[in-house]
């Protein structure tokens, strides 16, 4: 179901004939959620994900769906927090059980974001049909929360140093595009006291983080910067025409993160927006000039170390290019995969077990094959 021909937001069909877990009221949903075995994180997370997914396929009025989802959300937040403790600060190659928890959290983010997206789409349709201002307010709150949870899924991908699932950036951009088209992006959101103040700020929170070279940041640093950007994103402007200080640009129809404006080409595109972070960079420079006085920086910057401020300034203030030259070639490439294979070739084609039993082979290895342990044996024989 699409709201507008220009918006590419799809939501599941509400074709489920029966929902039997609890009565479809907020009080019944809250009572059911509170009865879950909270100590068993994986079981609770799986139950909540499947329940919200089932509700996403069950026909409900948008205000009822929103109330039920809000009743379940505190328990979902607890489950997500417990899952994060399991899969963060772990080896990059995670054990199977830990990786499963990360996938469970990712799916929970997606399902919850979809629930709020359905509310927004149906509320906007109802507002168009009946002209209710209540429906517009509901759509605004729902789009805000959909962006928050879609953004947290992107944050999780950054923290795990993994590529984002296909269409995730597109969903994120299109949620904002829908809010912009409905003139909801700058309206204040009451429930945003501890985070971004409106939909645009919630969108920029994750968008600006993606411009900060997240692959070069540690997991805890990513979380700190993301949290701080919840307030600092108000210093970033999103324009529909290029400005001299707009280092980044984003296409709201694409499935890509922001890229440098100079690399985007000159072709006019109505869905392109330019990210101007010059005010934020100036503010970060003033914080960096304060030195080792975090108490004077304000609550958003209190935990941000100077090296992180400098990283953000460098990332958002200037274009970063490769400083080495690449030479194209069509020569064949021989690849040696695995430490045991590397040992074998470096040691003059001697198995590692044999090498450690006969230490003189270490000295002889450099002389094997004319000092070229990775040379093609056929070429060696021809020589």
């Amino acid at each position: 179901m699409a709201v507008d021909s220009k918006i590419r937001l799809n939501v599941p069909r509400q074709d489920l004939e029966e929902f039997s877990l609890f009565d479809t009221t907020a009080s019944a949903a809250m009572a059911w959620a509170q009865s879950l075995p909270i100590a068993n994180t994986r079981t609770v997370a799986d139950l909540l994900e499947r329940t919200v997914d089932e509700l996403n396929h069950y026909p409900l009025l948008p205000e009822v769906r929103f109330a039920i989802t809000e009743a379940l959300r505190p328990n979902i937040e607890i489950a997500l927090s417990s899952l994060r403790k399991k899969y963060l600060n772990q080896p990059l190659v995670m054990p199977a059980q830990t990786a499963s928890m990360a996938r469970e959290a990712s799916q929970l983010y997606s399902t919850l974001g979809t629930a709020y997206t359905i509310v927004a789409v149906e509320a906007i349709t109802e507002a168009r049909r009946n002209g209710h201002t209540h429906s517009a307010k509901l759509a605004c709150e729902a789009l805000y929360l959909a962006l928050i949870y879609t953004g947290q899924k992107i944050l999780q991908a950054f923290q795990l140093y993994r590529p984002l699932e296909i269409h995730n950036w597109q969903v994120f951009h299109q949620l904002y595009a829908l809010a912009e088209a409905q003139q909801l992006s700058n309206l204040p959101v009451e429930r945003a006291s501890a985070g971004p103040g409106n939909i645009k700020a919630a969108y920029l929170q994750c968008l600006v983080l993606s411009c900060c070279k997240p692959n070069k940041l540690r997991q805890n640093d990513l979380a700190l910067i993301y949290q701080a950007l919840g307030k600092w994103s108000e210093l970033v402007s999103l324009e529909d025409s290029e400005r001299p200080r707009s280092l980044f640009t984003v296409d709201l129809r694409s499935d890509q993160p922001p890229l440098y404006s100079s690399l985007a080409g000159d072709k006019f595109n109505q869905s392109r927006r330019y990210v101007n972070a010059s005010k934020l960079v100036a503010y970060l420079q003033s914080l960096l000039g304060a030195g080792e006085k975090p108490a004077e920086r304000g609550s958003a910057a209190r935990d941000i170390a100077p090296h992180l401020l400098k990283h953000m300034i460098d990332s958002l203030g200037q274009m970063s290019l490769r400083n080495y030259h690449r030479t194209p070639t069509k020569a064949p490439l021989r690849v040696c995969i695995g430490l045991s294979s590397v040992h074998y070739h470096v040691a003059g084609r001697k198995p590692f077990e044999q090498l450690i039993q006969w230490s003189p082979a270490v000295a002889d290895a450099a002389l094997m094959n004319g000092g070229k342990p990775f040379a093609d044996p056929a070429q060696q024989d021809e020589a």
Side-chain angles (χ1 to χ4, degrees):
M1 176 172 57
V3 178
D4 193 296
S5 59
K6 296 181 180 180
I7 302 296
R8 302 175 183 175
L9 264 180
N10 295 320
V11 295
R13 293 180 179 274
Q14 284 75 61
D15 53 6
L16 190 66
E17 296 182 358
E18 183 180 1
F19 181 81
S20 58
L21 286 175
F22 49 79
D23 293 335
T24 51
T25 64
S27 58
M30 183 179 298
W32 176 84
Q34 290 176 349
S35 68
L36 296 175
I38 194 170
N40 193 332
T41 302
R42 290 192 63 184
T43 300
V44 171
D46 182 62
L47 281 171
L48 288 168
E49 192 278 324
R50 287 192 285 113
T51 299
V52 176
D53 182 61
E54 192 172 333
L55 285 168
N56 288 346
H57 291 82
Y58 186 71
L60 292 168
L61 293 174
E63 55 269 22
V64 175
R65 186 183 306 279
F66 186 81
I68 292 175
T69 308
E70 285 293 273
L72 296 175
R73 189 155 68 97
N75 293 78
I76 293 176
E77 287 286 358
I78 293 173
L80 286 170
S81 178
S82 299
L83 288 172
R84 281 193 293 268
K85 294 176 182 178
K86 301 292 185 180
Y87 64 76
L88 290 180
N89 300 314
Q90 299 294 325
L92 291 182
V93 181
M94 293 185 292
Q97 184 176 7
T98 306
S100 175
M101 291 186 178
R103 287 192 298 269
E104 186 68 49
S106 177
Q107 189 60 38
L108 199 47
Y109 284 130
S110 294
T111 307
L112 191 57
T114 299
Y116 287 114
T117 301
I118 295 172
V119 173
V121 169
E122 293 181 344
I124 290 171
T125 302
E126 182 177 295
R128 283 180 174 179
R129 185 169 54 245
N130 302 321
H132 293 165
T133 56
H134 171 72
S135 298
K137 179 181 178 182
L138 180 61
C140 183
E141 291 188 349
L143 280 173
Y144 176 87
L145 290 168
L147 276 167
I148 289 294
Y149 285 105
T150 307
Q152 287 184 6
K153 181 175 179 177
I154 295 174
L155 170 65
Q156 186 207 43
F158 288 157
Q159 289 180 309
L160 298 180
Y161 309 103
R162 294 179 178 177
L164 203 60
E165 293 179 5
I166 189 171
H167 300 316
N168 207 123
W169 274 114
Q170 185 180 55
V171 169
F172 188 65
H173 297 325
Q174 289 291 282
L175 285 169
Y176 173 74
L178 177 59
E180 191 180 73
Q182 298 297 318
Q183 300 181 347
L184 301 173
S185 57
N186 291 312
L187 296 180
V189 179
E190 296 178 359
R191 63 184 65 249
S193 58
N198 54 47
I199 288 175
K200 180 182 285 188
Y203 177 63
L204 287 169
Q205 179 182 24
C206 187
L207 203 69
V208 174
L209 178 66
S210 70
C211 299
C212 292
K213 301 176 184 176
N215 61 304
K216 296 184 178 181
L217 294 170
R218 294 181 296 182
Q219 292 178 341
N220 291 338
D221 294 340
L222 283 163
L224 288 173
I225 292 176
Y226 179 80
Q227 184 176 6
L229 285 173
K231 296 296 184 182
W232 293 345
S233 56
E234 297 177 356
L235 298 172
V236 182
S237 60
L238 195 63
E239 309 289 345
D240 56 5
S241 59
E242 189 173 7
R243 297 289 185 268
R245 297 299 299 276
S246 298
L247 185 62
F248 297 94
T249 185
V250 62
D251 189 338
L252 299 183
R253 295 182 303 179
S254 73
D255 191 27
Q256 300 294 328
L259 71 157
Y260 289 122
S261 300
S262 60
L263 303 179
D266 299 327
K267 185 178 179 181
F268 177 73
N269 187 346
Q270 290 184 340
S271 64
R272 182 178 293 179
R273 300 293 180 270
Y274 293 90
V275 184
N276 187 340
S278 56
K279 290 184 180 179
L280 175 58
V281 170
Y283 176 70
L284 296 175
Q285 288 172 335
S286 69
L287 293 178
L288 189 61
E292 300 294 334
K293 298 178 181 179
E296 299 178 6
R297 297 179 186 168
S299 58
R302 195 163 295 162
D303 297 325
I304 307 294
H307 75 276
L308 288 181
L309 293 174
K310 188 176 186 306
H311 175 87
M312 294 181 68
I313 293 169
D314 292 341
S315 301
L316 300 174
Q318 59 186 354
M319 185 175 179
S320 176
L321 296 174
R322 292 188 177 95
N323 56 4
Y324 54 87
H325 180 66
R326 288 183 170 182
T327 304
T329 182
K330 293 183 179 180
L333 178 67
R334 301 186 69 221
V335 179
C336 182
I337 300 176
L339 285 176
S340 60
S341 184
V342 171
H343 276 297
Y344 176 79
H345 287 281
V346 171
R349 299 190 182 88
K350 291 185 180 293
F352 181 69
E353 293 78 6
Q354 181 181 348
L355 175 65
I356 59 177
Q357 292 176 2
W358 184 42
S359 58
V362 177
D364 295 340
L367 302 176
M368 299 292 290
N369 298 329
K372 300 178 180 179
F374 292 96
D376 191 336
Q379 295 177 357
Q380 292 292 330
D381 294 339
E382 292 175 0

